[in-house]
Amino acid sequence: MPFTLPPLPYDRTALEPHMSAETIDYHYGKHHQAYVTNLNGLVAGTDMDKMSLEDVIRASAARDAKIFNNAAQIWNHTFFWESLAPQSPAVPKALASAIDESFGSFAAFREAFLNEGKGHFGSGWAWLVKERSGKLAVVSTHDAHTPLTGEAVALFVIDVWEHAYYIDRRNDRGAFLSTVFDKLANWDKVAERLAAA
Ligand code: MN3
């Protein structure tokens, strides 16, 4: 079963001026697509070519870094695009309460998230997750690593690989993070994931 690039949930120009169509063309059209193309080449003829993407990620995590990296990057990027919206909605009540309980305030959550993303060394991802205890937490993962292989449930993510911001922001990861967080975060989607977690 060939894996396919999931459609973007909005038009390529819809996140402008905060994220350019050129960034979408490269980040979604080339980087995300390349992980799909690579994975299809790697799993062809193996026992993984009929599995779901999630099963491929779990099955390859301990035994095949190339397959794991490409499969997890497909999943992480799809989760990232779905974490964004052209008009960032207000934070729904249930999500706001969970954030207040875990971080003290939305402002404290925002600061923790932006610091985690800015402070992450090298390529990776900054996440809001729901831990097994029920508490929300901010974590980062390196390279392709993903909460999907652990016990926490992913709720929101921002990609902090350089390819995510270099076209629009050059080396300014901090400006990219705060703009995406403040202008493009799809809090309705995050609340939906929390309700399902
Ligand atoms: Mn990326």
Side-chain angles (χ1 to χ4, degrees):
M1 173 195 81
F3 294 97
T4 53
L5 183 66
L8 264 189
Y10 31 74
D11 187 79
R12 56 186 278 286
T13 60
L15 305 184
E16 291 187 333
H18 310 300
M19 188 183 291
S20 68
E22 187 184 4
T23 283
I24 298 280
D25 289 347
Y26 277 84
H27 196 180
Y28 171 74
K30 298 198 184 290
H31 289 277
H32 197 175
Q33 176 64 61
Y35 297 123
V36 174
T37 305
N38 291 342
L39 182 65
N40 283 328
L42 289 165
V43 300
T46 74
D47 62 338
M48 290 187 192
D49 80 345
K50 287 183 181 60
M51 290 183 185
S52 69
L53 183 65
E54 289 79 2
D55 285 345
V56 169
I57 292 167
R58 294 189 183 103
S60 63
R63 67 181 232 228
D64 191 314
K66 271 192 191 168
I67 289 179
F68 172 80
N69 286 338
N70 284 282
Q73 283 294 78
I74 297 171
W75 193 90
N76 290 348
H77 279 89
T78 302
F79 196 91
F80 173 55
W81 301 125
E82 290 176 348
S83 293
L84 308 184
Q87 301 285 333
S88 183
V91 181
K93 272 209 178 99
L95 175 60
S97 316
I99 286 171
D100 287 350
E101 270 173 45
S102 300
F103 298 97
S105 66
F106 188 84
F109 157 58
R110 178 182 182 277
E111 193 185 352
F113 190 93
L114 298 182
N115 284 342
E116 185 73 29
K118 256 191 280 190
H120 180 85
F121 186 80
S123 297
W125 301 84
W127 305 85
L128 173 68
V129 298
K130 183 182 178 187
E131 293 184 325
R132 214 173 169 187
S133 66
K135 267 209 149 191
L136 306 193
V138 163
V139 297
S140 54
T141 58
H142 282 283
D143 302 327
H145 286 273
T146 174
L148 193 64
T149 53
E151 290 185 337
V153 178
L155 302 176
F156 176 69
V157 74
I158 297 182
D159 187 340
V160 298
W161 284 58
E162 273 189 354
H163 67 223
Y165 53 87
Y166 218 82
I167 290 172
D168 291 341
R169 301 287 180 177
R170 296 304 178 202
N171 61 324
D172 196 346
R173 186 191 284 182
F176 162 75
L177 275 162
S178 59
T179 301
V180 172
F181 188 99
D182 293 337
K183 306 291 187 186
L184 299 175
N186 188 346
W187 301 120
D188 287 339
K189 187 69 179 178
V190 179
E192 189 186 298
R193 289 164 174 163
L194 176 62

